[in-house]
Amino acid sequence: MADGIRLSLATMRAVFPSAPEVIINAFVEKQGELTVVGVNRSRQRLAYCFANLHAETAEFTIKNLTENINYTAARMAQVWPNRFASAAAVQARYGTAPGWQAKAFDDIYGNRMGNRTGTSDGSCFIGRGGPQITGRDGYMEIGRRIGVDLVDNPELASSPALQPDIAAAFWDWKGMNRFADAGDFISCVKAWNGGTNGLVERQAQLARILPILQMAERGEAIAAPVKPPPDPISVSTSASQPSAWAAFFMAIARLLRRA
């Protein structure tokens, strides 16, 4: 097995002081997922990853680990000034009836990141999970890598038990090791979210987390359990037979929808 940084409960709690216990436990129990893609090969890689996870989700504390799209018209005009000159312009386009924000997201994010024009993809495939994966293509790619159908069940991207899997898959998908190894945090942030949103917060978390990881033990990194590679067809079409894990999480999703 590869040499790497071992994550204890104490270390994870120091990195994410306010995170739910179930997520702290998941990262310790499934740190082998990080080993597979080399995230825990160095303290710098881990720090880059954890600083971004912290900033994306306010330390895994945002509600349901899901992006809040309930913007005010004024906030929407502020976020997209090139689209809307004012709050009045937002209201003129989407109205004020309940659900107007979803309509706006479907429009703004339609025909981007794999989202289909004229569908609800924009408001369906919003930021979820630690990396805040976004867009139909992102959900399909991460789902393929972890063997769970996130396209037909996007809410599973917020499952606490899947956060180590999703974080590792996202990190590997974006090729983040090269940025961490080069000490290029800004390029890492740009690859993560397409820009430098929240850069000051991310840098502050990086400065806080690095010393914590300096105290973490180094040794033989825990390997992930051996599992067959995901079938790209099975996670991208609803007609295919899901894996045992996919079936389990889809059952949970159905129960949550009925609640």
Side-chain angles (χ1 to χ4, degrees):
M1 296 181 192
D3 181 56
I5 311 303
R6 301 293 295 271
L7 296 174
S8 66
L9 288 172
T11 297
M12 287 303 300
R13 179 53 70 196
V15 172
F16 299 106
S18 300
E21 185 176 359
V22 63
I23 291 179
I24 295 295
N25 291 338
F27 270 92
V28 173
E29 293 168 4
K30 302 176 76 177
Q31 59 188 280
E33 299 297 336
L34 306 181
T35 303
V36 169
V37 299
V39 182
N40 54 0
R41 188 69 58 82
S42 76
R43 301 178 204 279
Q44 186 148 290
R45 288 183 183 183
L46 269 176
Y48 274 36
C49 181
F50 287 163
N52 280 286
L53 290 174
H54 192 295
E56 290 285 348
T57 62
E59 202 180 331
F60 289 104
T61 64
I62 62 173
K63 186 176 180 181
N64 298 325
L65 291 183
T66 301
E67 178 184 6
N68 182 3
I69 68 171
N70 292 320
Y71 287 28
T72 63
R75 175 59 178 161
M76 195 163 284
Q78 181 182 30
V79 174
W80 290 287
N82 294 332
R83 284 179 172 268
F84 312 110
S86 65
V90 174
Q91 292 175 340
R93 182 155 188 169
Y94 304 116
T96 59
W100 72 265
Q101 292 96 336
K103 184 175 163 183
F105 269 67
D106 290 337
D107 180 31
I108 293 168
Y109 286 112
N111 201 30
R112 292 176 57 193
M113 300 176 290
N115 293 335
R116 300 163 298 177
T117 305
T119 71
S120 61
D121 283 358
S123 59
C124 178
F125 300 114
I126 56 177
R128 287 191 178 88
Q132 289 292 280
I133 54 175
T134 308
R136 187 182 184 90
D137 280 352
Y139 278 72
M140 182 174 293
E141 179 63 25
I142 299 302
R144 182 188 70 78
R145 287 171 178 262
I146 68 174
V148 176
D149 186 351
L150 298 182
V151 172
D152 285 346
N153 303 275
E155 65 277 8
L156 294 182
S158 299
S159 168
L162 287 177
Q163 293 316 302
D165 312 65
I166 289 171
F170 184 86
W171 180 270
D172 191 47
W173 175 37
K174 297 294 184 177
M176 299 291 197
N177 284 332
R178 68 186 188 276
F179 301 128
D181 293 347
D184 189 353
F185 187 64
I186 290 179
S187 290
C188 178
V189 172
K190 287 180 178 178
W192 195 293
N193 73 2
T196 55
N197 294 336
L199 179 60
V200 172
E201 168 64 12
R202 294 170 200 267
Q203 289 173 324
Q205 291 305 325
L206 177 63
R208 182 186 66 84
I209 291 169
L210 264 172
I212 294 171
L213 294 179
Q214 290 299 329
M215 297 183 289
E217 292 183 7
R218 188 173 187 92
E220 190 177 77
I222 298 174
V226 177
K227 55 187 176 183
D231 178 355
I233 298 177
S234 70
V235 297
S236 60
T237 62
S238 57
S240 302
Q241 182 67 32
S243 67
W245 275 111
F248 172 72
F249 284 113
M250 284 188 280
I252 293 176
R254 286 194 291 271
L255 290 173
L256 290 174
R257 284 196 291 266
R258 292 172 186 165

